[in-house]
Amino acid sequence: MDSGGYFLDITILMRLIILHHDYTDLRDKDAYFIYSLIPHWQRRGIEVKHWTGTRDLPEGDAVLVHVDLSVVPSRFLKAALRYPLAFNSRMEDIRKSALPGRNLCLAASSAFLGAVVVKTELNHGGIPEKLFFQKRRLSLPLVESWDLFRASRLVEPLTYPVYGSAAEVPGNIWKDPRYVVEKFLPEMEGNNYVLRYAYFLGKARIGYRILGKNPILRWAGKVAEEHSPIPPEVSAFREKIGLDYGKIDFVVHQGGAVILDVNKTIGGPAASLVEEPLAAALAEGLPF
C-alpha cells in the first residue's frame, strides 16, 4: 500500500503522513490539490509520505486524513489518533444535511415559497463513492461496501436542477434520501451569479470569488475570478465543524453568509489565480 514518499537532503523537522482511502490512485497527481502543497513543505523540512488504508501505518509526527468520501469510515479517524498531531480527525460527515447550522434543507411539508434546488446528499454528487465502488478490488467492511454501492446508482448526480417552488419538485425526489431539496439563495452581481470559496489549512485562510452566468456556478463556468475576504461567520463555521484542511463554498445573500458545501479533499490543481499562489499561502498554515 505504500506509494513511497517525497524526500530532500535537508534536516527533517516533521514527518507528515497523508492518509488516503484504500482505493485512492496515488499515481494521479492532478486529482487533488494536496499534491501542490508538498514541494512547499519539502523546502521547509517536512517529509511527506502517502498511505492508503489503515493497516501497518508508518511512523510520523503528524497525519492529515485525506479520505475522499462524504462519510469517512471510523477506522481512519481512529487511526489518526495514533499520531501526536492529527488534521481533519474530526471531519467525519460532510453530507449536506449533516452540516450543523446550515438550515437550507427542506421537508416536503415546508412552507418555504421561494425557488429551490435539488442536490445530492453526498458531496460532489457522490462521484468519489461511485469511482471507489467501481474499483472494489479489495475487501472492505460490509457497511462501507454497501455505502459505496448505493452512491454508485445515482444518475446525473451533478445536474442540481432549480425549481421555482418546492411544489414543482417531483414527488420521488422527496422520498429518496440520496437527494436533498434546499432553498435556492443566490448571490448576484449585475447579471452574474457569484460563488465564493474559503480555503483553509491550519492558521492559513484564503478567500476567492468567481462570477458566471449559470445559477449552479462551478469553476469551469466562471467568467471572472478575484481574491475576496472571508466573513467571520464562515471562519467560525470552519472552527465549529473541525475543518483543519479544506474548502468551504458559500454565497453572501441579503447581507449574510450562506454555507453551500464543504470539501476536505480539495480537487486540483485549479488554473490561474488559485494554483501556485494558493498552494504557497496554504502551505504556510501547517505548524512547523
Side-chain angles (χ1 to χ4, degrees), residues 256-275:
V258 178
I259 305 296
L260 300 181
D261 210 352
V262 174
N263 192 328
K264 54 186 171 42
T265 51
I266 304 171
S272 61
L273 181 67
V274 175
E275 193 169 348

Side-chain angles (χ1 to χ4, degrees), residues 13 19 31 47 67 104 108 136 138 172 203 206-207 222 279:
L13 301 179
L19 188 59
E47 177 187 296
V67 176
L104 286 179
R136 63 182 188 281
L138 299 175
N172 64 302
K203 62 184 180 181
I206 301 95
K222 65 180 174 58

Side-chain angles (χ1 to χ4, degrees), residues 2-288:
D2 182 4
S3 69
Y6 297 80
F7 303 95
L8 288 181
D9 187 19
I10 59 177
T11 301
I12 301 300
L13 301 179
M14 176 187 289
R15 289 178 171 84
L16 173 66
I17 309 302
I18 301 179
L19 188 59
H20 303 268
H21 189 270
D22 309 67
Y23 293 170
T24 302
D25 184 358
L26 299 179
R27 298 169 298 178
D28 186 0
K29 299 296 189 290
D30 291 332
Y32 298 106
F33 191 75
I34 197 79
Y35 289 102
S36 300
L37 304 178
I38 291 172
H40 300 282
W41 288 336
Q42 289 177 315
R43 289 193 286 269
R44 297 292 297 271
I46 295 180
E47 177 187 296
V48 179
K49 194 177 191 68
H50 294 280
W51 198 261
T52 56
T54 54
R55 296 181 180 178
D56 305 319
L57 292 167
E59 294 184 0
D61 303 300
V63 64
L64 191 156
V65 181
H66 197 270
V67 176
D68 192 5
L69 293 173
S70 294
V71 180
V72 178
S74 60
R75 59 190 173 96
F76 289 97
L77 304 179
K78 291 178 181 177
L81 298 180
R82 303 179 188 180
Y83 293 89
L85 186 61
F87 297 95
N88 279 2
S89 60
R90 292 192 293 142
M91 288 300 303
E92 181 178 9
D93 191 344
I94 59 170
R95 290 176 297 179
K96 294 177 179 64
S97 65
L99 295 172
R102 195 163 159 272
N103 299 326
L104 286 179
C105 297
L106 300 170
S109 58
S110 172
F112 181 72
L113 298 178
V116 301
V117 57
V118 175
K119 299 181 179 180
T120 55
E121 169 77 304
L122 297 176
N123 185 60
H124 194 55
I127 290 176
E129 284 83 355
K130 182 174 183 177
L131 294 177
F132 284 163
F133 176 75
Q134 290 172 345
K135 294 180 179 180
R136 63 182 188 281
R137 62 184 180 273
L138 299 175
S139 177
L140 294 181
L142 182 59
V143 64
E144 292 185 30
S145 298
W146 174 246
D147 288 342
L148 296 182
F149 168 75
R150 292 181 71 248
S152 73
R153 311 304 292 176
L154 288 173
V155 178
E156 298 182 349
L158 291 179
T159 302
Y160 290 7
V162 176
Y163 296 91
S165 69
E168 299 176 22
V169 177
N172 64 302
I173 293 294
W174 293 105
K175 299 175 182 178
D176 192 333
R178 296 174 300 174
Y179 296 95
V180 293
V181 180
E182 297 187 345
K183 303 173 185 177
F184 181 59
L185 305 176
E187 177 180 355
M188 303 294 298
E189 186 169 298
N191 294 323
N192 288 317
Y193 292 89
V194 179
L195 177 61
R196 298 171 186 262
Y197 300 115
Y199 293 87
F200 300 98
L201 174 59
K203 62 184 180 181
R205 55 194 65 197
I206 301 95
Y208 294 92
R209 71 173 197 155
I210 61 174
L211 291 82
K213 301 298 182 182
N214 196 320
I216 305 302
L217 185 57
R218 296 188 173 97
W219 187 266
K222 65 180 174 58
V223 298
E225 60 186 57
E226 61 184 5
H227 287 278
S228 179
I230 300 174
E233 58 263 45
V234 175
S235 294
F237 177 80
R238 175 254 180 140
E239 297 291 341
K240 182 176 182 178
I241 64 175
L243 183 67
D244 301 311
Y245 166 73
K247 175 174 70 77
I248 296 175
D249 298 358
F250 68 101
V251 295
V252 175
H253 182 82
Q254 296 183 351
V258 178
I259 305 296
L260 300 181
D261 210 352
V262 174
N263 192 328
K264 54 186 171 42
T265 51
I266 304 171
S272 61
L273 181 67
V274 175
E275 193 169 348
E276 183 62 23
L278 176 60
L282 275 191
E284 293 295 320
L286 193 67
F288 297 96

